[in-house]
Amino acid sequence: MPILHRELLLDIFGYTEFRGPQEAIIDHVSAGGDALVLMPTGGGKSLCYQIPALARQQAGHGVTIVISPLIALMHDQVGALLEAGVDAAYLNSSLSSEASYALEKRLLSGSITMLYAAPERVTNPRFLAQLDSLYERGLLSLFAIDEAHCVSQWGHDFRPEYRALSVLHERFASVPRVALTATADELTREDMIERLQLQEAAKFVSSFDRPNIRYRLVEKKDPTQQLLRFIRNEHTGDAGIVYCQSRKKVEDIAQTLSNEGIPALPYHAGLDAGVRQANQDRFLREDGLVMVATIAFGMGIDKPDVRFVAHLDMPKNIEAYYQETGRAGRDGAPANAWMSYGLQDVVNQRRMIDESPAGEDFKSIMRGKLDALLTLAESIDCRRVQLLRYFGEDCRQFSDEPPLGKLVPSGGGVGREATSVGAKFMCGNCDNCLNPPDLWDGTDAARKLLSTIYRVQQHSGISFGAGHIMDILRGKKTEKVTQFGHEAISTFGIGATLSETQLRSVLRQLIANGALNINAAAFNTLQLNDASREVLKGNIQVMLRESEAASATRGMGSKAKRSATSATKTANAVLDAAGERRFASLKAWRAEVAREHNLPAYVIFHDATLIAIAQRAPLQLSDLDGISGIGAKKLTAYGDEVLRAVR
Ligand code: ADP
Ligand code: ZN
């Protein structure tokens, strides 16, 4: 079997080596075992069921059913398989009745290797009856459940239809199942295992590290300008995704970027379905577009050359953040994950949780998850180490092994002890590692702030929001201050030497550490709790990161710029002038083929493959041997055209 798997890898997909745990997973699933696969985005999950599907079909086991949450994306996935010469198809409502009928016939004959379908389709009675028929004849080979975290309400894109998938195990007990996801914290993972009844399945958990992604979280100050600077300085001409909280903001930012000469498209659930689909298609098919979107966009987007993901607003938790940023750099080339966040984001997210109709247990878990993200944002330690720790990975165990091979103890030079656990490790590819933030002792400021909140409450008998409290501290005689007579409060003006930025940072830190509550049910007023009293008494030291403005002047910009290596810039590095011309000509040829086949360009060949061809300057077909990404079918179909394009 294993030899066959390697042959399939080379012959169909054009790759010479398996990556990470792929081979072990493939061997296990191909032999009929159940598996749960947790692998980061870009890790190569697809092959983990595609190669078993091919091997099992060859061995006479029949059809693999691939369950995938988004109809819109099945087209490209199946397109890529067909390009590679695999008999694959998808079932969805876009098919005409004749086409569905013809497909059903092929399905029932057991000849299709992979059939993609959405969960609601798979669990409808008519389809289940067809599966019964295959099953009785031993022609139902494997179930692959993609984006399996959708089954859990703890995951960030819960899809109730996934729950019904437990029927597969009950009805087709002897058919192996492989469930795959790129995201799952401990809670989601356990829930997923239980819901899909995968208790007996082999678990393959890869490191979730994405070494090529550089994480950066900056304080929000004129976010539109910050975003423009980020794109202009580091990502001119690159494809990227900008996430915003609201539909209106999506529209505004897309418009602003376009006005500023950065080609951008909007995507949110309020747009007409046709427009949404058209924008998504353009993003996938054209080079260098920026998609400005709500979180409605992205699941299953497997465009490999997304060079950056920017968050203009804070997501709701680390899982969502990691999943969304994970859409950058699937091709392994350098990519940026950039986020701007502020106090208002926290307030908004809190309010959404508080106002949701969910039960109190659920809300409390969600609040905890939000706090974890805020803590990450405020932290001065390596972002990657903290992200991985959140997903249950102890970075020490990777300290001299890839993929975290570059994590080294920092010698304790960075940051404070309070938030760090044991020895420090630094990835060298996040803002805190590249440019350790300066610290300042915010204990005094925190006490001033908390005592102001206390006194104002005593004075007026009601609580106030952050803005007003800061005005009092900074000694501003606003209308509201005068109206409530708050200039009489003894702390009025005692924070005059602190900037608003510093005070906001103190506030966020206190909230992140649970030393201050925001009451969303009462106009987001600030309220003290037991932990606040500890800070007030001076029992807790509050060390804060210096605001971004200060560190920006120390040159993060120039370091960050170096990371902005787009695929084209990578090409520059390896290709001479003639190579460049061949690459350009190959890209033009690829664009043509992609248009003809109505598929994204990367489905035909990845940039990396074209660069390798351009570098080799092949004269005859045999010169293409061994270039990664050229399988047998593609060699036959495109070999001659590639040679012509090179000439
Ligand atoms: P995931 O679904 O885990 O995000 P994919 O299955 O889409 O990842 O794979 C990411 C990219 O890596 C794809 O372009 C795929 O062709 C490529 N890839 C996967 N496995 C290998 C391999 N063994 N060798 C080279 N490239 C691979
Ligand atoms: Zn780091």
Side-chain angles (χ1 to χ4, degrees):
M1 240 354 179
I3 295 169
L4 170 65
H5 296 156
R6 287 198 164 258
E7 275 171 17
L8 290 169
L9 180 72
L10 185 62
D11 195 45
I12 307 285
F13 300 97
Y15 299 138
T16 46
E17 294 296 330
F18 283 110
R19 265 198 204 153
Q22 273 178 336
E23 187 162 28
I25 298 166
I26 290 166
D27 288 350
H28 179 82
V29 173
S30 199
D34 288 342
L36 175 65
V37 175
L38 281 85
M39 206 186 257
T41 309
K45 281 184 290 302
S46 318
L47 292 191
C48 295
Y49 60 84
Q50 290 171 346
I51 291 184
L54 286 156
R56 289 178 62 81
Q57 174 64 273
Q58 283 187 14
H61 293 294
V63 185
T64 290
I65 307 291
V66 183
I67 295 128
S68 165
L70 283 187
I71 290 170
L73 294 157
M74 292 176 195
H75 173 262
D76 291 350
Q77 281 163 5
V78 169
L81 286 169
L82 293 173
E83 284 291 322
V86 178
D87 186 359
Y90 58 87
L91 246 187
N92 70 36
S93 46
S94 71
L95 297 180
S96 68
S97 52
E98 295 89 70
S100 317
Y101 181 69
L103 183 54
E104 273 175 19
K105 260 178 65 184
R106 277 170 61 214
L107 170 67
L108 287 172
S109 77
S111 67
I112 298 178
T113 300
M114 270 172 267
L115 181 71
Y116 282 69
E120 53 274 23
R121 186 70 179 227
V122 173
T123 51
N124 95 10
R126 183 180 153 82
F127 189 73
L128 285 174
Q130 290 168 354
L131 294 187
D132 282 338
S133 156
L134 284 174
Y135 187 54
E136 281 153 20
R137 290 175 287 139
L139 291 176
L140 188 52
S141 169
L142 171 70
F143 290 110
I145 305 170
D146 207 2
E147 311 283 359
H149 64 281
C150 291
V151 77
S152 170
Q153 63 169 329
W154 308 124
H156 46 86
D157 9 62
F158 174 44
R159 305 259 305 212
E161 315 86 79
Y162 264 68
R163 290 277 162 93
L165 292 175
S166 56
V167 70
L168 301 181
H169 181 49
E170 287 147 17
R171 193 149 165 166
F172 312 107
S174 64
V175 176
R177 293 170 305 148
V178 51
L180 312 101
T181 175
T183 178
D185 61 333
E186 200 52 45
L187 193 63
T188 312
R189 199 176 297 180
E190 278 164 21
D191 198 31
M192 208 163 58
I193 291 172
E194 195 176 312
R195 299 277 173 187
L196 295 172
Q197 296 165 34
L198 286 168
Q199 290 87 347
E200 308 295 316
K203 321 266 183 310
F204 295 90
V205 183
S206 311
S207 167
F208 269 56
D209 187 27
R210 300 288 311 280
N212 59 316
I213 297 184
R214 174 171 298 182
Y215 299 97
R216 226 179 319 163
L217 290 81
V218 308
E219 222 174 300
K220 201 183 273 193
K221 263 174 283 160
D222 197 353
T224 310
Q225 286 308 317
Q226 286 174 301
L227 176 71
L228 279 171
R229 262 200 308 277
F230 166 68
I231 297 180
R232 286 217 177 98
N233 288 345
E234 305 178 35
H235 289 292
T236 330
D238 286 343
I241 305 174
V242 177
Y243 282 110
C244 306
Q245 189 81 54
S246 72
R247 296 172 183 185
K248 171 158 189 328
K249 193 157 170 190
V250 163
E251 303 266 353
D252 292 349
I253 298 289
Q255 191 60 53
T256 307
L257 292 182
S258 302
N259 294 346
E260 296 287 331
I262 298 166
L265 298 168
Y267 188 106
H268 59 71
L271 288 172
D272 175 74
V275 174
R276 230 163 44 215
Q277 185 65 42
N279 287 357
Q280 174 169 310
D281 284 349
R282 280 192 59 196
F283 177 72
L284 294 176
R285 283 161 175 66
E286 294 176 26
D287 282 336
L289 278 180
V290 175
M291 184 64 103
V292 186
T294 60
I295 52 166
F297 178 75
M299 186 165 40
I301 294 288
D302 50 9
K303 185 176 169 64
D305 56 354
V306 174
R307 293 269 68 84
F308 70 91
V309 170
H311 282 91
L312 271 189
D313 301 302
M314 203 164 92
K316 62 177 191 277
N317 54 43
I318 291 182
E319 290 92 315
Y321 170 73
Y322 207 64
Q323 176 88 347
E324 284 149 22
T325 54
R327 291 171 186 141
R330 290 169 89 107
D331 55 8
N336 271 309
W338 179 94
M339 171 168 113
S340 76
Y341 74 98
L343 189 59
Q344 195 55 42
D345 291 326
V346 188
V347 172
N348 291 345
Q349 292 287 5
R350 277 276 163 94
R351 191 175 43 228
M352 280 196 277
I353 296 171
D354 289 341
E355 288 173 358
S356 86
E360 204 34 58
D361 284 358
F362 182 83
K363 287 183 181 178
S364 132
I365 288 180
M366 287 303 160
R367 279 187 209 110
K369 289 188 170 209
L370 174 61
D371 289 346
L373 178 56
L374 181 60
T375 307
L376 171 75
E378 287 295 326
S379 162
I380 53 170
D381 298 329
C382 173
R383 311 279 194 193
R384 189 180 313 274
V385 168
Q386 294 177 79
L387 284 166
L388 293 176
R389 189 179 293 139
Y390 183 82
F391 291 107
E393 280 182 47
D394 179 358
C395 295
R396 262 164 297 184
Q397 77 195 61
F398 303 109
S399 61
D400 46 24
E401 278 288 322
L404 283 185
K406 55 199 175 352
L407 283 177
V408 292
S410 75
V414 188
R416 74 201 130 127
E417 295 312 302
T419 54
S420 54
V421 180
K424 287 232 169 78
F425 290 88
M426 295 173 72
C427 74
N429 196 24
C430 75
D431 50 1
N432 286 352
C433 282
L434 288 168
N435 210 294
D438 283 340
L439 290 187
W440 63 287
D441 186 342
T443 312
D444 188 46
R447 293 174 67 193
K448 286 177 177 165
L449 199 129
L450 294 175
S451 66
T452 302
I453 297 171
Y454 176 76
R455 278 161 222 268
V456 168
Q457 162 81 33
Q458 292 290 307
H459 179 275
S460 303
I462 51 170
S463 308
F464 289 83
H468 184 61
I469 297 292
M470 290 198 295
D471 287 342
I472 299 174
L473 260 168
R474 301 183 64 212
K476 281 199 191 163
K477 290 198 174 122
T478 62
E479 216 171 285
K480 198 165 176 181
V481 166
T482 320
Q483 182 195 343
F484 287 95
H486 285 165
E487 66 266 55
I489 284 176
S490 63
T491 58
F492 184 77
I494 61 166
T497 54
L498 297 163
S499 68
E500 186 177 326
T501 310
Q502 285 176 314
L503 283 174
R504 284 196 182 273
S505 162
V506 176
L507 262 171
R508 284 196 308 266
Q509 187 77 23
L510 288 172
I511 294 165
N513 291 334
L516 185 60
N517 295 342
I518 290 188
N519 187 350
F523 309 104
N524 301 314
T525 51
L526 300 173
Q527 282 163 3
L528 303 185
N529 57 29
D530 291 345
S532 321
R533 279 176 259 290
E534 290 304 306
V535 177
L536 271 172
K537 281 192 223 148
N539 291 344
I540 295 176
Q541 197 190 10
V542 184
M543 292 302 289
L544 299 169
R545 54 183 296 143
E546 187 89 80
S547 80
E548 197 225 342
S551 39
T553 55
R554 298 198 317 264
M556 176 69 196
S558 61
K559 275 190 203 166
K561 257 178 228 166
R562 261 182 272 136
S563 79
T565 342
S566 73
T568 337
K569 290 166 202 152
T570 315
N572 283 334
V574 297
L575 295 175
D576 56 16
E580 278 293 328
R581 283 196 296 276
R582 288 189 288 272
F583 181 49
S585 147
L586 285 163
K587 269 172 82 165
W589 165 79
R590 180 181 67 177
E592 189 94 339
V593 178
R595 243 191 319 277
E596 264 166 39
H597 295 212
N598 186 25
L599 285 171
Y602 60 81
V603 165
I604 310 300
F605 285 123
H606 282 190
D607 279 358
T609 304
L610 293 193
I611 292 169
I613 298 172
Q615 199 174 12
R616 193 173 291 183
L619 296 171
Q620 53 207 13
L621 283 181
S622 59
D623 294 341
L624 292 170
D625 272 359
I627 292 182
S628 182
I630 311 181
K633 167 87 191 300
K634 285 189 180 174
L635 184 64
T636 315
Y638 299 129
D640 290 325
E641 292 177 41
V642 162
L643 293 180
R644 218 170 304 135
V646 166
R647 261 180 254 130

